[in-house]
Amino acid sequence: KLMRFLGAKVIITPKTGKGTGMVEKAEELCKKHGWFLCHQFENEANWKYHEAHTGPEILTDFAGKRLDYWVTGYGTGGTYHGAGKALKAKRPDIKIVLAEPADAAMLASGIKTERKPDLSPAASHPAFKAHPIQGWAPDFVPHVLESAPENLQDDLIPVPGVDAIQCSKKLACNEGILTGISGGATLYAALEAAKKAPKGSVICAMLPDTGERYLSTPLFADIQADMNEEELEIAKSTPSMQLLPS
């Protein structure tokens, strides 16, 4: 609804096709209608933007300050590849922690993604399973991610979907930060990294998302639109203006 509100045409593809099916449909539509396909999973402009902007922004924020770890997940891999390069170039001692869904441990498997001549995925990755961390890990390892320098990653942390959702909820309730499931997943990975980090380490974990996009997802599955029993009891605790169910 948000995308359509902004004027976009949203074409839904069957779940059975997964991410590779989504990409295939996009390619097909662009060929048919003469549309531009940005190839965000393969286009080097993706990671180069993060190398020129996101990475330097982090470095500016931590200028003259300690920074020991940077934690991120991956969707296209552009943030990890580009910002990671910028961070390592200026501050090579920073440890970069990459996270991926525990149910889609494609990087951990060590299995390369089959590719077409244009470097897009040729088939679904054998280690992929459906997971609730939307925006992370389609059913293939993007070329933008796979083409990153091998020495960029210092650690790889698997994130269970249920823990990602729980971290998102805790951020909202305890810190007033409304982030999505992927934001919760990044925080989970940062907390896991902190368990192994030396005392006093400084860890940067970006949450580039908002929970408002997730109203129809498992993140809000147990959030009721109507008052629950506890709220009804609070409403009845004073005599006026009681809106009780009939």
Side-chain angles (χ1 to χ4, degrees):
K1 286 184 178 180
L2 284 172
M3 293 300 293
R4 288 181 176 129
F5 186 77
L6 289 166
K9 301 293 186 290
V10 181
I11 311 303
I12 308 298
T13 56
K15 288 182 179 180
T16 53
K18 296 176 275 193
T20 47
M22 171 192 68
V23 171
E24 182 180 344
K25 184 65 174 180
E27 292 173 342
E28 186 179 86
L29 287 168
C30 287
K31 185 176 180 180
K32 169 71 175 178
H33 300 285
W35 297 339
F36 171 72
L37 184 64
C38 64
H39 279 287
Q40 71 265 33
F41 296 107
E42 298 83 41
N43 195 336
E44 65 177 12
N46 179 340
W47 66 260
K48 285 186 174 181
Y49 181 89
H50 291 286
E51 183 182 32
H53 297 281
T54 311
E57 182 178 346
I58 296 170
L59 290 167
T60 298
D61 287 345
F62 283 90
K65 302 175 184 177
R66 180 174 176 176
L67 179 58
D68 302 294
Y69 293 81
W70 177 58
V71 183
T72 184
Y74 72 89
T76 65
T79 303
Y80 163 73
H81 184 161
K85 262 187 175 179
L87 292 176
K88 285 285 191 181
K90 295 293 185 181
R91 299 178 69 163
D93 291 337
I94 292 175
K95 303 296 184 186
I96 296 180
V97 179
L98 186 59
E100 68 177 348
D103 288 331
M106 294 177 287
L107 294 178
S109 74
I111 302 171
K112 299 289 186 181
T113 290
E114 296 180 45
R115 303 196 184 280
K116 298 176 184 177
D118 66 357
L119 301 176
S120 63
S124 185
H125 196 285
F128 177 83
K129 293 180 182 177
H131 61 85
I133 309 175
Q134 298 183 14
W136 272 23
D139 66 318
F140 55 89
V141 177
H143 176 69
V144 166
L145 175 66
E146 197 170 80
S147 61
E150 290 185 6
N151 63 349
L152 205 58
Q153 171 193 310
D154 294 290
D155 197 5
L156 178 64
I157 293 179
V159 180
V162 65
D163 291 310
I165 292 172
Q166 198 60 36
C167 275
S168 296
K169 291 179 176 179
K170 287 182 178 179
L171 276 168
C173 290
N174 299 340
E175 304 295 337
I177 298 173
L178 183 62
T179 187
I181 301 173
S182 57
T186 304
L187 177 64
Y188 174 88
L191 292 172
E192 290 298 300
K195 292 176 183 178
K196 298 183 286 185
K199 186 176 180 179
S201 294
V202 175
I203 300 172
C204 173
M206 298 187 303
L207 312 178
D209 202 355
T210 172
E212 292 171 350
R213 301 174 185 171
Y214 292 82
L215 292 173
S216 60
T217 74
L219 183 59
F220 284 83
D222 60 352
I223 305 299
Q224 301 176 36
D226 297 322
M227 287 188 285
N228 59 28
E229 290 298 323
E230 182 180 5
E231 290 165 336
L232 286 169
E233 288 303 313
I234 294 172
K236 290 186 287 186
S237 67
T238 61
S240 67
M241 302 302 293
Q242 294 183 5
L243 184 62
L244 304 178
S246 56

